[in-house]
Amino acid sequence: MEVQNEKALGAQAASAKNPNVKAVPAQWVRLALTLLVAAIISCGCVKAYPWFSAKVFNLTLAGADLHIKLLRLAILFPIWTLVCSWFSFGLPMVGDWLHRNRFRLGAAIILAAVVLNVSGSSMAVWNIWLGRNGTQDLVFGTPRPIRTDEYVVGTPLAFSQAYNNYGYFNGLFGDKPADMFIIKDAPAWFPTEVFRPFHWGYLLLGSSAGLAFYWSARLIVLFLSTYQFFLCVGSDKKPVSRPMAVFGASLITFAPLTQWWFAVNGLPEMLIAVFVSICCFDYMLQRQETWVRLLCGAVIMQCAGMFILTLYPAWQIPMGYILLGLIIAMVIRHWGKIRFKPVQIVGLVVIGLVFTALLGLALLKSADTIRAMMSTAYPGSRMSKGGGQSPLLMFSSLATLCLPFKDFYESAMLTGNNVEVAAFIDLCPLGMLFAVMNMIKRKKANFLDCYLIAFLVFMSVFAVVGFPAWLSKLTFMSSVTSSRTTVAIGVCNIILLIRCAREWCANHSVKAKAVVAVVYTVCAAVIAYMVFSPYLDVTMTISCAAAGFVLAAAVVSCDLKVGKIVATLATLVMAFSGLAINPVQYSSAPITDQPVVQQVRILQEHKPGVWVAEGGNCARLANLLVANGVKTFNALAVTPDLQGMKRLDPDGTWQRIYNRYAFISINIVDKPVEKPFKLSANDAYTITVTPEQLERLGVTYVLSTNDLNKRRFDGYRFVKIGETVSGETPYEVQRIN
């Protein structure tokens, strides 16, 4: 007390000496010091980042331009400001501030990403393929060559829509306009696009800014919706705390599986649709106001459309089971209090009719596309009976934390690549054990916990043992392969974990919690080493064990004072691994500013025609041409052009090969070959053609890695019409009179 009085007297004396000077509040001094320290650390990180990149990603960075250094500083500064503020103001105060302002902060981050023009695309691989600097405009991380579905398909197709006025069908693909909406979910001006809000950036802002919005908005909305979901879905007796909700959101958002699949097959949209719809449904049942219920109903219908239009049954069907259980649980929670006024019922019916009409428009527009896709050789209609998965895979997910830093290769029990082996870090089986022990302790079963446990057993049996064909069809699991059960199993485990941890912790001692964390860490690390060896060496196993212990400690300490600190540390562990998967890329120059494509565009504008890419990497390069508005015959066959292929195969002899979603390679020869179509993968084939057959297909130009003008062809020649750029030379197909 005496010290405080002395400080007060000192401040009064200072004011008395200079009455025009007001005392600066202590909190502003702390804030200024926080910003200063954050700025110093950020500058140091920018300086050290090339060394970090070489050590962690094995990627040597060329001297970065000033704008890239400034971008790194702009991204790191708010992150370090947040970290420093924890020490300056304390975790509780900062946490409360973040919670109150979470939606404003989320919107600010999305706006900043759009303004700074950064995305998570691996498009820099185009620079590598075309002999240019692969690190140009790379802010953080490393481009991922394995993500061809993103930078060769998804992003180029979205960019191609700018040259198609964002129409429903795009005529730049071969002879048959490609359906851009129902198969590859590219942005399109169409009423049903209301169910794809993350495409709106393309429609309103253009390709580059639209890409930045697409990546940032999905990441932020996924995190915020998952956080809100865990706050909503907690036990009535022991609701989920904010730190645990943040930790749960990081387990979903920054999961290896989520990030490796982030740009394809609509996984973020699927998760967002489930979490947001459940939060809105719970809120709708709580509140009685008509406008609230109608607004919630409209959001739920938008989520339903978003979920349906992901069009990936292998994930949708298992996630649909989880969604069903959550809906029933919300009804049970509010049972006896659910009352709807007639005007509310009428309003919800109208919303449902609008939803049905919007989906019906898309289904009618794409009816031919859907029929064609269902009758293809690939992907066609799938018939899966499950089985074949090792049960150890459900306990080895810790190993996938290493995937951003070391590419996966075959292990004793696994084949595939980083994408295929990625999983949710779900701390299995802790969630299930907590749920069972809680029910035993309170001597009362809980519907949602029982449902999720039963579902986990159901999915595990399907993945490991398999179902008879009749049961697989009856349960709709015939469209789900064993490897695709990982999503639903991981999400289910995480829901149980976050939902049940606090109640379990309240009933057990600190010693018991420590034992659980240690036992889980040891068992999970040993199983991960068994499953992933020799990919996982001893050093990496120890690193995984350390990370696993931090994650487990965050769960078992959630009711302790130290719980906030441990949960924050665990969130940082997940964020570090998850955000390292996709790069931070500035601008879209690797797609839009390639010199070889710019030359082709000039030639196309001068004398329009149909192009093919021929030679090395031609199937992928064809998509780059389409992304820049160049009509290209061998661009991705979203749906097969059976009628057009009759010009080469009138009897349909080779239809089994080209009747598929596929990348198309072109090989030019001087004489017709016996087997013009050759399948190289489930989604790729090569057409071997003569110049005469190219003319038959309507092709007028060729972009090739081969020296075609020196080769002799019967009645035809290839005239060089431009310079050789990045190993690619443009030719015109001409008939010799």
Side-chain angles (χ1 to χ4, degrees):
M1 180 67 78
E2 291 179 359
V3 173
Q4 290 179 352
N5 290 336
E6 287 178 6
K7 289 183 177 179
L9 290 172
Q12 291 174 5
S15 299
K17 290 180 181 179
N18 189 353
N20 296 322
V21 177
K22 294 183 179 180
V24 178
Q27 61 183 15
W28 290 108
V29 174
R30 276 188 290 171
L31 179 59
L33 289 174
T34 299
L35 294 175
L36 178 61
V37 172
I40 293 172
I41 297 175
S42 300
C43 290
C45 289
V46 171
K47 186 73 173 177
Y49 182 72
W51 173 87
F52 177 86
S53 177
K55 291 293 183 181
V56 174
F57 298 113
N58 197 27
L59 181 68
T60 302
L61 298 176
D65 294 333
L66 179 61
H67 69 281
I68 297 299
K69 293 180 180 179
L70 291 176
L71 274 173
R72 288 173 184 160
L73 183 62
I75 293 170
L76 288 171
F77 178 65
I79 296 173
W80 279 112
T81 298
L82 175 62
V83 173
C84 292
S85 67
W86 294 336
F87 296 95
S88 300
F89 298 96
L91 274 174
M93 181 182 290
V94 175
D96 288 342
W97 185 83
L98 291 173
H99 175 79
R100 291 195 309 271
N101 296 281
R102 61 192 183 280
F103 299 118
R104 296 187 187 92
L105 290 170
I109 293 172
I110 296 169
L111 179 62
V114 172
V115 171
L116 296 176
N117 198 12
V118 293
S119 71
S121 173
S122 290
M123 65 174 70
V125 177
W126 284 111
N127 283 335
I128 299 172
W129 284 347
L130 295 172
R132 306 179 72 205
N133 180 11
T135 64
Q136 182 180 358
D137 290 340
L138 186 64
V139 184
F140 291 114
T142 182
R144 302 292 179 178
I146 192 67
R147 296 310 312 131
T148 52
D149 283 350
E150 181 269 312
Y151 64 88
V152 174
V153 179
T155 302
L157 264 61
F159 276 45
S160 73
Q161 283 290 82
Y163 300 93
N164 184 48
N165 295 320
Y166 295 99
Y168 199 97
F169 295 94
N170 193 323
L172 296 174
F173 294 76
D175 279 347
K176 181 182 178 182
D179 189 321
M180 291 284 100
F181 186 86
I182 207 70
I183 302 298
K184 293 314 299 178
D185 76 329
W189 281 114
F190 193 72
T192 315
E193 189 76 340
V194 70
F195 297 131
R196 287 174 170 160
F198 303 113
H199 286 174
W200 300 350
Y202 285 111
L203 299 174
L204 300 175
L205 304 172
S207 294
S208 191
L211 181 66
F213 177 83
Y214 179 75
W215 277 89
S216 59
R218 291 159 80 242
L219 182 70
I220 297 302
V221 173
L222 177 57
F223 186 88
L224 291 177
S225 61
T226 310
Y227 171 75
Q228 200 68 38
F229 169 79
F230 282 124
L231 291 177
C232 167
V233 82
S235 169
D236 292 333
K237 293 186 68 175
K238 289 288 183 179
V240 175
S241 64
R242 290 178 189 172
M244 280 300 289
V246 171
F247 176 53
S250 71
L251 289 177
I252 296 289
T253 306
F254 305 127
L257 194 150
T258 303
Q259 291 300 316
W260 282 107
W261 286 93
F262 197 74
V264 293
N265 292 345
L267 179 58
E269 287 87 342
M270 201 179 300
L271 295 170
I272 290 168
V274 171
F275 298 148
V276 171
S277 61
I278 290 301
C279 291
C280 287
F281 186 59
D282 179 63
Y283 197 64
M284 182 200 302
L285 297 182
Q286 285 183 45
R287 300 287 295 270
Q288 301 296 322
E289 299 93 328
T290 298
W291 73 270
V292 171
R293 287 188 160 175
L294 294 183
L295 179 60
C296 287
V299 175
I300 290 171
M301 288 297 99
Q302 186 185 45
C303 289
M306 187 189 305
F307 185 89
I308 292 169
L309 290 176
T310 55
L311 297 172
Y312 196 65
W315 285 341
Q316 285 174 297
I317 291 169
M319 286 300 298
Y321 276 108
I322 295 178
L323 180 60
L324 176 63
L326 291 168
I327 291 172
I328 296 173
M330 292 300 113
V331 172
I332 292 173
R333 173 185 285 183
H334 298 283
W335 190 254
K337 304 175 185 177
I338 302 175
R339 299 287 187 275
F340 282 89
K341 301 174 184 177
V343 66
Q344 295 171 352
I345 295 173
V346 172
L348 292 174
V349 169
V350 171
I351 291 171
L353 291 174
V354 172
F355 164 79
T356 304
L358 289 172
L359 275 186
L361 281 174
L363 293 177
L364 286 173
K365 191 89 169 176
S366 294
D368 292 340
T369 304
I370 295 170
R371 281 193 292 268
M373 185 57 67
M374 292 298 292
S375 63
T376 56
Y378 175 86
S381 55
R382 178 180 284 164
M383 176 58 208
S384 170
K385 294 187 290 185
Q389 287 280 85
S390 169
L392 292 179
L393 290 179
M394 289 183 282
F395 309 97
S396 62
S397 62
L398 277 182
T400 62
L401 288 171
C402 298
L403 294 176
F405 315 111
K406 182 182 178 182
D407 287 337
F408 178 77
Y409 51 85
E410 288 191 14
S411 69
M413 300 179 62
L414 282 172
T415 58
N417 52 45
N418 293 33
V419 182
E420 292 298 328
V421 302
F424 283 100
I425 313 300
D426 55 11
L427 279 66
C428 180
L430 292 186
M432 190 183 299
L433 290 175
F434 289 168
V436 172
M437 293 174 72
N438 289 345
M439 287 187 282
I440 293 173
K441 179 70 176 179
R442 73 173 102 96
K443 298 179 181 180
K444 183 180 178 181
N446 177 280
F447 167 78
L448 183 56
D449 294 345
C450 291
Y451 181 92
L452 293 177
I453 291 171
F455 175 73
L456 280 171
V457 173
F458 169 81
M459 290 298 291
S460 300
V461 171
F462 175 81
V464 176
V465 180
F467 288 173
W470 66 268
L471 182 58
S472 189
K473 290 181 179 179
L474 182 65
T475 56
F476 305 105
M477 295 295 288
S478 56
S479 297
V480 183
T481 59
S482 299
S483 61
R484 294 296 180 259
T485 61
T486 312
V487 168
I489 289 175
V491 171
C492 196
N493 274 320
I494 293 171
I495 293 174
L496 279 173
L497 181 73
I498 302 301
R499 173 181 161 79
C500 301
R502 193 173 184 185
E503 184 178 348
W504 181 88
C505 290
N507 296 322
H508 291 81
S509 65
V510 174
K511 184 178 179 180
K513 297 170 187 175
V515 169
V516 167
V518 171
V519 170
Y520 166 78
T521 301
V522 172
C523 292
V526 169
I527 294 173
Y529 182 77
M530 290 169 55
V531 173
F532 280 82
S533 178
Y535 165 76
L536 210 64
D537 57 28
V538 175
T539 302
M540 294 174 67
T541 304
I542 294 173
S543 299
C544 288
F549 179 76
V550 172
L551 300 179
V555 173
V556 300
S557 66
C558 62
D559 65 331
L560 303 175
K561 289 184 178 180
V562 75
K564 291 182 179 180
I565 298 174
V566 182
T568 301
L569 183 60
T571 299
L572 293 176
V573 169
M574 288 301 304
F576 177 75
S577 176
L579 294 178
I581 291 172
N582 293 300
V584 177
Q585 174 71 39
Y586 169 69
S587 84
S588 57
I591 286 181
T592 58
D593 294 344
Q594 291 293 347
V596 59
V597 179
Q598 290 177 339
Q599 177 176 238
V600 169
R601 286 192 61 191
I602 293 171
L603 294 170
Q604 180 75 350
E605 291 171 1
H606 176 70
K607 187 179 179 183
V610 178
W611 290 74
V612 295
E614 193 258 358
N617 213 22
C618 61
R620 296 170 176 176
L621 186 60
N623 283 3
L624 186 62
L625 296 181
V626 166
N628 288 274
V630 178
K631 186 175 177 63
T632 309
F633 176 80
N634 64 318
L636 178 75
V638 178
T639 52
D641 182 10
L642 302 183
Q643 193 64 33
M645 286 301 182
K646 286 185 177 180
R647 287 172 287 181
L648 296 182
D649 184 31
D651 301 326
T653 305
W654 306 100
Q655 183 170 312
R656 181 188 63 84
I657 292 180
Y658 57 77
N659 182 23
R660 64 185 64 232
Y661 166 95
F663 295 91
I664 305 172
S665 297
I666 298 291
N667 181 32
I668 298 176
V669 295
D670 56 343
K671 295 180 181 179
V673 296
E674 184 179 350
K675 297 179 179 180
F677 294 89
K678 182 180 179 181
L679 190 66
S680 52
N682 280 335
D683 61 350
Y685 63 85
T686 300
I687 309 176
T688 302
V689 292
T690 63
E692 186 274 332
Q693 289 172 322
L694 279 179
E695 186 180 54
R696 209 186 302 168
L697 293 171
V699 173
T700 48
Y701 301 109
V702 177
L703 184 65
S704 177
T705 55
N706 299 313
D707 194 354
L708 297 179
N709 65 346
K710 291 185 178 179
R711 291 167 54 182
R712 295 180 178 274
F713 299 93
D714 188 16
Y716 289 85
R717 65 181 178 182
F718 290 89
V719 178
K720 185 176 178 181
I721 56 174
E723 299 297 323
T724 300
V725 181
S726 299
E728 303 283 345
T729 307
Y731 299 95
E732 183 177 3
V733 184
Q734 293 185 358
R735 181 182 294 186
I736 301 174
N737 296 325

